[in-house]
Amino acid sequence: MNDGSLDAPGGPATRRAAALSALLIFVAALAAFEPALFNSFAHDDAEQVGAWPLPAGAGDWLRVPLQPWWPLDRLKHEWRPLTRLTILAQKAAAGETTWPYYALNLLLHGAVSALLLGAARACGMPRRAALAGALIFATHPIHAEAVHQVVGRAETLAAGWMLLGLWLHARRPGSAHALWQQPLCYALALGSKDHAILYPVYLGLAAAARGWGGTHPAGGSRGIIGRRRALLTLALLAVGGTYLVLRARITGGLAAAPGEIPFHENPLARATFAARWPAVLGIFGYAASRLVYPLGLSPDYSAYSLPIERGWGWGWTWIGLLILAGLVGGALRCARQGSGRGAAWLVLGGLAAWGLTSNAAFPIGVITAERLWYWPSAAGCLGLGWLAAAGLGRAERRLPRLFGYGLALIVVLLCAASWHYAGAWRSQAAYAEWTVARFPASWRGHVNLAREAYQTREFERGAAEARIATRLLPGEEMGWVWLGLNATFLPARRAEAEAALRRALELKPALASVHRNLGNLYQLQGREAEAAEQFRIYLDSPEAADREAIQERLRSLEGG
């Protein structure tokens, strides 16, 4: 019987130790990713945070949750109303000052890390293993994209709501409060990011690990618990179904068709199920290796970053297959043992999370990205914590306090790796340079470098980077656009500039800005009639953003 004594489970000393452990994890997370406070907007942050217009009034704010994550013409069919609201609320308060965005990301990651400890302990994980796993999660550089990019908070928000729900369920299985707590956590997680659609699966695995209604709340009975379980299942199905219907209505569909996903984003999009699997296993093996050995990370993974075209000839494919077989075999073995049931469901939950974000079931918008590893890595980090606690615990019999010293060393090394990797996210230029240094054949890395060179007026360098991009993917228009823009300002390269801009229009005729750029080029060459024609085409487009300036130039060219 729990008498509330100092050494009783759940007593004051236990609660104090749990609070101190959570605080330690929270502080460790802040220490590992503190460099994020010095970032400027890079990659998706520049395209979204910088570009999203602020709502003008109460009516506009009410319409924010009904807006897709990307513009409809991007065909991504993503809807994240809660994440969008948090970013726009900060934009209204902070304006163009960047550090508050990253400060909130830091706090969210720290909270998620502390919640991971609470959920693991509530689900029955040993204290030392849960502490080690949560500390590894808090400080691991594999989580850089989720913290160092403002839009990465979709990952931390979704993970936080799911972990909160798992923690609440594990503390009071079968409680009447679950009938409103669990659907609310599910809805908030889905409003943060769509991969939370699998939350009921994780909830079911956690319930199986601990046992539904194994101990009933005061006044409860098995019949009452069974009815609550059925009602909760219906409520979760209603939340998930409502989300899918709204997402389809707001974004124009549930998911992009394979033909709508650009090759440079995901070369697997048009591959058959069987043809995708060697790459899926290879990426799994590669990601698992980065979890154990957190060096060699890259801000961007796109076409030709990883040699997925080798299929079964890629070494990481076989490593991924061995890891998968080992995890499934271990989970089945643990499932036969009452004491190992929690480990079995932890493995299966991690694999389910990975499967949804890895192109395993169906093609997604990107081949892979570190932000996609955030939620699946929670299970992986807890597994590493379990191994660390077991190994250090055995050695501690001979060397007292080895667990504490060993865990401190792991945290210090992970923090050092996270600080080293932070430089990749400092700015748009740093993002591109780090990507190309890691993957010289990264199309997007060279395109980003060409854009940065154009903005800093290093046109020779920009044209050289763009030429590499056009050689890598000649069918992608953006490499030609940046080649044309940079070469426009190189008098000896203006014929190349015209050819590049014309090629971009052949690939994507709807690029209105290219007509303006051609007009600029023709005006520099004294081809006034052709320049005027391009400006008129540009002004006829609804995408024309600088109409007054272009209209003035057109009038000047026409002698008005």
Side-chain angles (χ1 to χ4, degrees):
M1 181 177 176
N2 182 0
D3 59 3
S5 62
L6 290 178
D7 57 350
T14 302
R15 290 194 296 271
R16 188 161 51 249
L20 287 173
S21 296
L23 179 61
L24 171 65
I25 290 164
F26 184 82
V27 171
L30 299 189
F33 292 98
E34 182 268 346
L37 295 174
F38 304 97
N39 288 356
S40 59
F41 291 155
H43 198 42
D44 286 350
D45 286 354
E47 291 189 54
Q48 292 182 283
V49 181
W52 282 344
L54 272 177
D60 283 350
W61 279 104
L62 290 175
R63 284 188 287 271
V64 167
L66 303 178
Q67 296 170 346
W69 183 246
W70 288 98
L72 291 176
D73 61 359
R74 297 294 290 270
L75 298 173
K76 289 180 179 282
H77 304 296
E78 292 174 348
W79 181 50
R80 300 168 187 170
L82 181 59
T83 307
R84 188 182 182 106
L85 272 171
T86 67
I87 292 173
L88 285 173
Q90 278 199 287
K91 190 170 183 177
E96 296 302 315
T97 305
T98 58
W99 72 262
Y101 296 94
Y102 300 106
L104 181 56
N105 277 19
L106 270 172
L107 295 174
L108 286 170
H109 176 60
V112 169
S113 303
L115 274 171
L116 181 62
L117 170 68
R121 290 289 293 129
C123 288
M125 193 170 188
R127 179 181 62 84
R128 282 188 166 189
L131 176 63
L135 277 170
I136 291 171
F137 182 89
T139 55
H140 205 293
I142 207 171
H143 301 140
E145 185 170 11
V147 182
H148 282 277
Q149 277 210 299
V150 177
V151 296
R153 77 174 54 163
E155 310 295 336
T156 52
L157 282 170
W161 291 118
M162 287 191 283
L163 286 171
L164 177 61
L166 290 170
W167 177 70
L168 289 170
H169 169 262
R171 289 182 71 236
R172 295 288 301 275
S175 167
H177 293 296
L179 293 177
W180 65 268
Q181 289 174 343
Q182 295 304 321
L184 179 61
C185 287
Y186 189 26
L188 292 170
L190 281 172
S192 303
K193 196 176 179 190
D194 43 8
H195 71 260
I197 194 73
L198 284 187
Y199 174 70
V201 173
Y202 311 133
L203 192 64
L205 291 172
R210 195 164 179 84
W212 274 89
T215 57
H216 306 311
S221 68
R222 192 167 296 276
I224 291 173
I225 298 300
R227 285 193 293 275
R228 287 175 183 166
R229 193 186 316 171
L231 288 172
L232 177 57
T233 301
L234 289 174
L236 293 174
L237 286 173
V239 170
T242 301
Y243 167 79
L244 292 175
V245 169
L246 288 173
R247 172 185 168 127
R249 291 286 299 273
I250 291 169
T251 69
L254 287 176
E260 296 171 344
I261 300 173
F263 179 85
H264 75 268
E265 291 278 8
N266 189 356
L268 297 176
R270 295 167 178 80
T272 63
F273 179 82
R276 283 200 312 272
W277 263 88
V280 168
L281 290 170
I283 295 169
F284 175 56
Y286 174 83
S289 74
R290 298 309 93 183
L291 198 61
V292 177
Y293 182 73
L295 298 178
L297 293 165
S298 170
D300 183 71
Y301 296 85
S302 55
Y304 306 127
S305 295
L306 300 171
I308 59 170
E309 67 279 359
R310 296 181 191 170
W312 292 103
W314 185 24
W316 284 115
T317 295
W318 293 99
I319 294 173
L321 181 61
L322 289 173
I323 294 172
L324 179 63
L327 288 174
V328 172
L332 292 175
R333 182 178 178 184
C334 289
R336 298 192 191 101
Q337 308 168 359
S339 60
R341 195 167 50 182
W345 301 130
L346 176 66
V347 169
L348 293 178
L351 291 177
W354 173 258
L356 190 64
T357 59
S358 66
N359 292 277
F362 51 83
I364 60 174
V366 294
I367 179 175
T368 192
E370 287 171 17
R371 64 181 179 275
L372 304 183
W373 304 345
Y374 189 81
W375 173 245
S377 73
C381 289
L382 289 177
L384 291 177
W386 213 316
L387 292 174
L392 292 171
R394 290 193 189 97
E396 200 172 34
R397 297 169 187 169
R398 298 181 179 179
L399 298 171
R401 299 183 181 178
L402 181 63
F403 175 79
Y405 293 137
L407 191 56
L409 178 61
I410 291 171
V411 169
V412 168
L413 290 175
L414 287 174
C415 282
S418 294
W419 273 62
H420 171 68
Y421 189 34
W425 305 89
R426 182 72 68 235
S427 64
Q428 191 78 287
Y431 178 95
E433 288 165 359
W434 193 290
T435 299
V436 171
R438 179 69 181 90
F439 297 121
S442 170
W443 175 86
R444 188 154 47 200
H446 290 290
V447 166
N448 286 340
L449 285 176
R451 178 177 57 223
E452 290 301 304
Y454 175 80
Q455 292 174 349
T456 57
R457 304 184 68 80
E458 299 174 82
F459 302 122
E460 284 284 4
R461 182 191 176 203
E465 296 290 348
R467 284 189 205 99
I468 297 173
T470 58
R471 286 197 296 271
L472 288 169
L473 288 176
E476 293 287 342
E477 74 282 350
M478 289 312 298
W480 297 104
V481 169
W482 289 110
L483 176 55
L485 283 171
N486 279 285
T488 292
F489 293 93
L490 301 171
R493 298 283 186 181
R494 284 176 180 164
E496 181 183 30
E498 180 178 2
L501 293 173
R502 289 288 184 186
R503 178 60 179 152
L505 285 174
E506 289 174 10
L507 293 169
K508 192 170 183 179
L511 282 173
S513 61
V514 176
H515 290 287
R516 180 192 58 198
N517 298 331
L518 270 172
N520 294 337
L521 174 62
Y522 291 151
Q523 193 170 16
L524 285 172
Q525 294 176 313
R527 298 157 65 180
E528 296 185 352
E530 292 171 278
E533 179 187 1
Q534 294 299 322
F535 288 147
R536 279 193 292 270
I537 296 173
Y538 174 68
L539 291 171
D540 286 341
S541 168
E543 297 178 17
D546 47 355
R547 291 183 178 276
E548 290 186 9
I550 298 300
Q551 284 170 346
E552 180 62 32
R553 292 174 66 185
L554 182 58
R555 283 193 292 269
S556 174
L557 288 170
E558 292 176 337

